[in-house]
Amino acid sequence: MDWTGEDPDKTGVDVAGPSDTDSIVFVHGAMFTRKMWLPQTRALSEGYHTVAPDLPGHGTRAGKPFRMEPAIDVLEAVVDRHTDGSATLVGLSLGGYVATEYAYRHPSTVDGLVLSGSSVNPVNTMELGTRVSGGVARLLTKPNLGKRAVETLATRWVRQRDLAPDIEREIIDAGFYPKQFGDAGPDIAGRDFRAALSTYPGSTLLLNGENDKLMRRGERDHAAAARDGRVEVLAGAGHICNLHRPETYTDRVRRFVSQTARVQ
């Protein structure tokens, strides 16, 4: 395994795998950190160059609230420093929206998009819903008691997944950042991510959990907006589908990357 010479815990980026092969950059969702991708990065780093950064407001970058502009800056730096200039982006939930915005701004550096749990377009009626949910999250997590309660629930949820003990421990030890639900909501509300996706010329896979009902309502329209988009569904999985069914999720990403690599 070919690691960079940097300490990933200090830089907020985990890098693994051979540097002379296709790169995959994983973008985590709100509340979690880059460690949520460990089931995928460990399995895929045998044949791919995998990179997973912390977003603003999370993990090593928890000192400032989530905002889209610094999140894009993080991805720009990651692609520039840790890839050969392009990568497949895999984003879940908030990470899917960040990946979409990045692909809109820098399409030539994106080999393909895998978007999970980010098929709702937060405009029109969904803009209001996004703002309201963000406000509720801020109220619930402002008192320490509410924040601790969410962290306890998140820890319990992770422990109920079928994960290797060391991966489970790393995800939990990295911490949970529930306040970022409230910070992220207003920041993405009103942004037309579907229009942004429609400008990206590469292939897009919408990979959702079967039980992620809200996001699945928009998946067909999202895929239709993409220039080369398709939908795949993971049976029995929910919103955080990469941890609900880690092996299947990894296999779908591997297949997508291998297919897009052959096309390029």
Side-chain angles (χ1 to χ4, degrees):
M1 185 173 291
D2 178 22
W3 293 83
T4 65
E6 300 171 320
D7 181 343
D9 287 325
K10 289 183 179 179
T11 62
V13 184
D14 288 344
V15 183
S19 58
D20 58 351
T21 189
D22 295 316
S23 294
I24 310 174
V25 174
F26 292 89
V27 194
H28 67 80
M31 189 170 77
F32 284 83
T33 71
R34 69 189 192 275
K35 299 299 184 181
M36 77 174 295
W37 293 112
L38 279 173
Q40 283 71 49
T41 57
R42 284 197 181 179
L44 291 169
S45 61
E46 295 179 2
Y48 295 98
H49 185 65
T50 66
V51 187
D54 282 333
L55 290 176
H58 303 78
T60 57
R61 296 187 172 89
K64 295 183 179 180
F66 174 87
R67 294 291 184 269
M68 182 63 76
E69 294 308 315
I72 295 299
D73 290 343
V74 167
L75 287 193
E76 288 177 349
V78 161
V79 172
D80 181 59
R81 297 172 189 171
H82 298 292
T83 78
D84 63 359
S86 68
T88 297
L89 298 188
V90 181
L92 187 143
S93 195
L94 177 61
Y97 293 115
V98 175
T100 301
E101 182 68 17
Y102 178 87
Y104 167 67
R105 300 187 192 190
H106 305 285
S108 64
T109 69
V110 180
D111 298 329
L113 279 173
V114 179
L115 305 176
S116 299
S118 51
S119 305
V120 162
N121 202 27
V123 297
N124 303 323
T125 56
M126 288 309 302
E127 176 180 356
L128 177 60
T130 303
R131 292 189 186 279
V132 169
S133 62
V136 170
R138 286 195 300 277
L139 287 173
L140 291 176
T141 58
K142 187 174 182 180
N144 285 334
L145 182 62
K147 180 176 177 291
R148 287 198 300 270
V150 175
E151 291 170 345
T152 298
L153 289 172
T155 299
R156 185 180 304 161
W157 185 91
V158 170
R159 286 176 174 159
Q160 292 171 344
R161 308 280 71 82
D162 185 19
L163 301 171
D166 57 329
I167 289 179
E168 175 187 295
R169 183 172 59 252
E170 284 202 54
I171 293 173
I172 293 171
D173 288 350
F176 301 99
Y177 302 84
K179 185 177 180 295
Q180 298 314 309
F181 281 117
D183 288 334
D187 198 61
I188 69 170
R191 293 178 183 262
D192 193 342
F193 291 99
R194 198 161 290 163
L197 180 61
S198 71
T199 70
Y200 172 62
S203 297
T204 301
L205 170 63
L206 300 181
L207 183 55
N208 288 328
E210 178 186 19
N211 300 323
D212 192 1
K213 301 301 184 184
L214 178 62
M215 293 299 167
R216 293 204 58 206
R217 279 164 42 187
E219 65 187 7
R220 294 295 172 186
D221 288 339
H222 225 59
R227 300 209 181 167
D228 178 22
R230 69 177 187 270
V231 175
E232 294 185 15
V233 177
L234 298 184
H239 184 63
I240 311 174
C241 52
N242 78 300
L243 295 180
H244 267 128
R245 298 193 60 194
E247 291 182 3
T248 304
Y249 191 97
T250 299
D251 288 343
R252 299 292 181 91
V253 171
R254 182 186 289 111
R255 184 174 65 186
F256 176 78
V257 175
S258 67
Q259 289 172 343
T260 55
R262 285 198 297 270
V263 171
Q264 293 170 9

